[in-house]
Amino acid sequence: MPSMTAANFIDSLRDAFRDAFGGGMGESVQEALNPEPVNLFGLEVNPSLIAAFFGTIVILLACVVIRLFVIPRFRNQPKGLQLLLEGIVGYFDKTASATHRHASFVGPYIAAASIFICITTLAELVGIRPAFASINTCLAFGLSTFFVINFCGLREKGLWGRAKRYLNNPINIITDLAVPLSLSFRLFGAIMSGFIIMELVYSVLFLSFVVPAIVSVVTTLFHALIQSFLFATLSTLFIGEAIE
């Protein structure tokens, strides 16, 4: 009788463990990797597109508000919001300072891309699937940066100068073509891994009350800020290499 009770207890623990860490987690990972399409204006789209629209709208509204209500109140001695905004602009201008004579839009492009990455990743905190949990969004950003890199390279060295880079060392063809893939897959892997981790945390019943409230905020903030910084840094490095 005691042995039967122990066996039943072990079986119940095994079933509970399987439910907590097996089927629940497997389903969460499957849903994270292959989400159900959502209806957007009559079209079935990836739910990550919602975050992309959300981030675009937030950025555009913020630009309008800042231009109409904040910039007219700027003073010679900045403080508060003005100090923050000037610090952000100054950071991205300094980051892209080497490219200004080739393309003045590089600094604003890197700033907009970084802010977009940050906002669309933070959208996870309000229950929206991150935009970069879709490989399509990541590829779009990788290709955009690839275009900026080659545009700056062509303006600095001309068509023949860029061609000599590949004629002198054909391996550069592979390394340059790998840039958009590297940027895209790194961004996708980082954002998706964080998203899956949170889905796994939520899938465990006994962790679904207090832990996600802490872990989700910390993990999402970390991913949003660090991925924005890394994308800006890598983009600047690749552009700087193209104009050397």
Side-chain angles (χ1 to χ4, degrees), residues 26-200:
E27 292 175 2
S28 297
V29 173
Q30 186 66 23
E31 290 177 2
L33 294 174
N34 299 302
E36 290 292 330
V38 296
N39 188 286
L40 183 66
F41 306 119
L43 298 175
E44 296 293 323
V45 300
N46 190 300
S48 293
L49 186 61
I50 304 297
F53 281 129
F54 172 79
T56 302
I57 292 172
V58 169
I59 291 174
L60 291 176
L61 288 177
C63 290
V64 171
V65 171
I66 291 172
R67 182 63 186 89
L68 295 179
F69 302 105
V70 179
I71 291 180
R73 297 184 180 182
F74 273 12
R75 299 292 182 265
N76 293 330
Q77 296 182 344
K79 60 180 181 179
L81 182 58
Q82 179 182 350
L83 188 62
L84 174 63
L85 292 175
E86 290 186 359
I88 294 174
V89 173
Y91 170 77
F92 285 107
D93 276 346
K94 183 179 179 180
T95 300
S97 59
T99 66
H100 281 181
R101 65 190 181 92
H102 308 284
S104 59
F105 67 85
V106 172
Y109 165 75
I110 294 176
S114 301
I115 294 172
F116 184 86
I117 292 171
C118 186
I119 291 176
T120 56
T121 303
L122 290 176
E124 184 180 348
L125 293 175
V126 294
I128 302 176
R129 181 184 174 86
F132 292 91
S134 170
I135 188 62
N136 295 325
T137 311
C138 300
L139 287 173
F141 269 60
L143 291 173
S144 298
T145 301
F146 183 67
F147 169 79
V148 174
I149 292 170
N150 285 279
F151 179 83
C152 292
L154 287 171
R155 291 200 64 175
E156 168 65 15
K157 299 182 178 181
L159 183 60
W160 175 241
R162 288 292 287 176
K164 285 197 299 183
R165 167 180 167 81
Y166 304 119
L167 294 175
N168 294 335
N169 188 3
I171 198 67
N172 286 331
I173 299 175
I174 299 176
T175 57
D176 284 1
L177 289 177
V179 167
L181 296 178
S182 173
L183 288 172
S184 303
F185 292 150
R186 186 202 56 78
L187 190 58
F188 176 72
I191 299 298
M192 177 59 81
S193 63
F195 181 64
I196 290 177
I197 288 173
M198 287 315 307
E199 289 296 314
L200 295 180

